[in-house]
Amino acid sequence: MASVTITGVPGELEIGQTVNLQGSARSAQGAALTGHTIAWTSSDNNIATVSASGALAGIGTGSVTITASTEGKSATATTKVDSRANFLKAIVEPIRASYDLPALAVAIVTRSGGQFGKAASGRRRVSQSAQVTNDDMWHIGSDLKAITAHVVASAVTDGKISWSTTLQEAYPELAGTMRAEYRTVTLKQLLGHIGGFAPNIENPAIPGTGSLTSQRAKIAAWVTSVPASPGVGQYNYSNIGFMVAANMVERAVGSPWEDIMQTKLLAPLGITGFG
């Protein structure tokens, strides 16, 4: 026998996780030899233990060296032991820092096992030192866009409207005021932020009275009368685009957007609180 090899030692091991290691005696030519009992040791049993059969178990935080030996020959390998949350945090923190965000949180959820892990990094407030935690409350913005896209898709599936429905087709009464560049803009383009609309409403003259449906129609009339920014077909994140898309659907379906959302999404999911 000339040497010992050790395989299966992970670079990172979670606290509470166990993996099986393999140790093998080798000839000078590198061939595996049988009949040699491998003895296993850990440099720190407070960090990780290894059984006589090679079962490596994460115990505490730190780096540990595992040794496999037989007949005066040995091999070593090192692993870092930590919690799943800390391993994930080590991934999240560089991303947060690279985009100069106050804080960033991540959760990994699998179809078969549910939540795999979660981590948070950064500060609760940029002017303070208090760190965010996994238990903090987070505001998640623009979720209504995903909801809007789902409900629009339901209307398309029901044949009430098409992805290719244009603004000109949806608003024939605006033929005299709609700018030419908007006439062929489609429902799909609005949802893709390439319809040419500005991000937000900048016209304080738009009345905030009447039903929500009528208010959305007024927004559509106004935005289609002003020049495209920066231009149709160019990406420009637009809240207005989703407002108009919602109005196109409620006009096609014949029901207020809020009622369609309740029928097509909230009720089927059993959601009773929404706002």
Side-chain angles (χ1 to χ4, degrees), residues 151-152 155 159-162 165-175 178 187 190 211-222 224 242-260:
V151 177
V152 170
K160 299 296 185 179
I161 197 169
S162 169
T165 297
T166 64
L167 290 172
Q168 181 175 256
E169 292 169 337
Y171 298 97
E173 75 277 13
L174 300 181
M178 184 180 296
L187 178 63
L190 293 181
S211 69
L212 293 176
T213 296
S214 66
Q215 290 183 52
R216 285 186 281 263
K218 293 172 184 176
I219 291 170
W222 165 73
T224 55
F242 274 71
M243 297 177 194
V244 175
N247 186 236
M248 289 172 67
V249 169
E250 63 186 342
R251 288 162 67 98
V253 173
S255 298
W257 175 254
E258 290 72 24
D259 292 349
I260 303 171

Side-chain angles (χ1 to χ4, degrees), residues 83-102:
S83 66
R84 180 175 297 181
N86 283 342
F87 281 133
L88 289 176
K89 185 174 181 178
I91 298 173
V92 173
E93 172 55 21
I95 300 173
R96 183 206 66 77
S98 67
Y99 288 95
D100 195 27
L101 302 174

Side-chain angles (χ1 to χ4, degrees), residues 110-179:
T110 65
R111 288 185 177 183
S112 58
Q115 186 181 103
F116 174 82
K118 59 184 179 180
S121 176
R123 299 178 181 181
R124 289 176 174 168
R125 185 185 295 271
V126 293
S127 59
Q128 299 177 2
S129 60
Q131 299 292 298
V132 295
T133 72
N134 288 340
D135 297 322
D136 285 346
M137 299 291 286
W138 292 76
H139 168 74
I140 304 176
S142 289
D143 279 356
L144 196 60
K145 287 186 175 64
I147 291 173
T148 299
H150 175 88
V151 177
V152 170
S154 297
V156 172
T157 299
D158 291 343
K160 299 296 185 179
I161 197 169
S162 169
W163 295 117
S164 60
T165 297
T166 64
L167 290 172
Q168 181 175 256
E169 292 169 337
Y171 298 97
E173 75 277 13
L174 300 181
T177 59
M178 184 180 296
R179 292 179 61 90

